[in-house]
């Protein structure tokens, strides 16, 4: 059998090594990452958080997620689309989030674009790029997990073509991983089967 990067946790179960690196990651890894996410607002939240993560570690975002939810009206597209310049300035002063002007402006601009889409359109578009699970081998090591795929590149292009900002191929792939379009839990990871549904 080939080598595996999976590491035993306190309960003896094998996990992706990053899923044991901090306490915050254990619950996120075991109960959330890689599980299918549906619904326009839920996917908008993930899209925004992945964009905010760009250039930072995910733990920074994860630890501020409640702050982001408070600041951005629980990522309800219709509400964020109505944010004004005053809201933008308020967000730039909010220590509960990442205060990056370009990322904040992209979050607001994306909500305005998405507010004009029909209900379920973002969900349908994102999920249309999910590859066939049977065509993907379960990764055994972290080096088996790509940063970009043909599907994430195509998703990035499709979103940008529709006016969505701050979503390059790497961010698109992180979104695909987090939202269950792909299952990148290692082959021996205890969370892999649950993520597969």
């Amino acid at each position: 059998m080939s080598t595996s990067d999976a590491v035993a946790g306190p309960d003896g179960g094998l996990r992706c090594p990053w899923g044991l690196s901090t306490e915050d990651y254990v619950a996120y890894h075991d109960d959330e990452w890689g599980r299918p996410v549906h619904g326009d607002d839920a996917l908008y939240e993930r899209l925004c958080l992945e964009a905010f993560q760009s250039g930072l570690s995910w733990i920074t975002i994860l630890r501020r997620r409640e702050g982001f939810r408070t600041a951005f009206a629980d990522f309800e597209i219709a509400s964020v689309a109505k944010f004004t310049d005053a809201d933008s300035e308020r967000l730039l002063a909010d220590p509960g989030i990442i205060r990056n002007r370009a990322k904040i402006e992209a979050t607001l601009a994306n909500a305005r674009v998405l507010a004009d889409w029909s209900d379920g359109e973002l969900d349908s578009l994102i999920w249309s790029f999910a590859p066939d699970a049977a065509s993907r081998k379960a990764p055994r090591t972290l080096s088996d997990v790509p940063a970009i795929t043909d599907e994430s590149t195509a998703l990035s292009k499709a979103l940008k073509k529709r006016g969505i900002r701050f979503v390059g191929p790497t961010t698109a792939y992180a979104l695909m991983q987090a939202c269950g379009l792909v299952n990148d839990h290692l082959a021996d990871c205890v969370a892999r089967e649950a993520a597969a549904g």
Side-chain angles (χ1 to χ4, degrees):
M1 181 175 262
S2 60
T3 336
S4 173
D5 285 347
V7 177
D11 61 359
L14 296 176
R15 288 176 174 78
C16 304
W18 67 265
L20 291 168
S21 60
T22 74
E23 239 179 78
D24 300 289
Y25 271 154
V26 176
Y28 178 70
H29 168 274
D30 287 4
D31 303 326
E32 192 173 348
W33 190 76
R35 305 276 179 109
V37 174
H38 285 284
D40 293 344
D41 289 342
L43 287 165
Y44 168 67
E45 174 182 359
R46 298 301 185 85
L47 185 64
C48 294
L49 294 177
E50 293 297 345
F52 272 101
Q53 186 269 329
S54 180
L56 302 168
S57 68
W58 179 247
I59 196 68
T60 303
I61 304 304
L62 194 56
R63 288 178 174 159
R64 291 186 174 154
R65 185 155 58 168
E66 289 311 314
F68 276 108
R69 286 175 172 164
T70 299
F72 289 101
D74 286 324
F75 291 98
E76 183 182 272
I77 294 168
S79 297
V80 180
K82 295 175 185 164
F83 278 20
T84 63
D85 289 344
D87 289 304
S88 184
E89 292 308 310
R90 170 185 57 81
L91 292 165
L92 280 166
D94 188 338
I97 65 168
I98 304 301
R99 295 175 283 183
N100 176 296
R101 185 178 293 278
K103 294 175 182 181
I104 289 170
E105 288 176 359
T107 299
L108 304 188
N110 290 345
R112 292 177 192 122
V113 168
L114 293 171
D116 290 334
W117 292 20
S118 22
D119 190 39
E121 194 170 349
L122 177 62
D123 190 305
S124 296
L125 176 67
I126 288 174
W127 276 90
S128 72
F129 290 91
D132 175 20
S135 70
R136 304 184 86 237
K137 264 181 80 171
R140 296 203 59 77
T141 66
L142 294 178
S143 61
D144 294 336
V145 179
I148 295 173
T149 62
D150 290 344
E151 293 88 358
S152 76
T153 301
L155 173 58
S156 169
K157 286 180 181 173
L159 288 167
K160 286 179 180 178
K161 186 176 180 181
R162 301 284 303 272
I164 302 300
R165 295 164 39 185
F166 235 102
V167 61
T170 304
T171 297
Y173 193 66
L175 176 76
M176 292 172 76
Q177 290 175 303
C179 295
L181 281 77
V182 295
N183 186 351
D184 276 345
H185 283 284
L186 298 181
D188 297 329
C189 177
V190 295
R192 182 170 177 81
E193 191 176 334

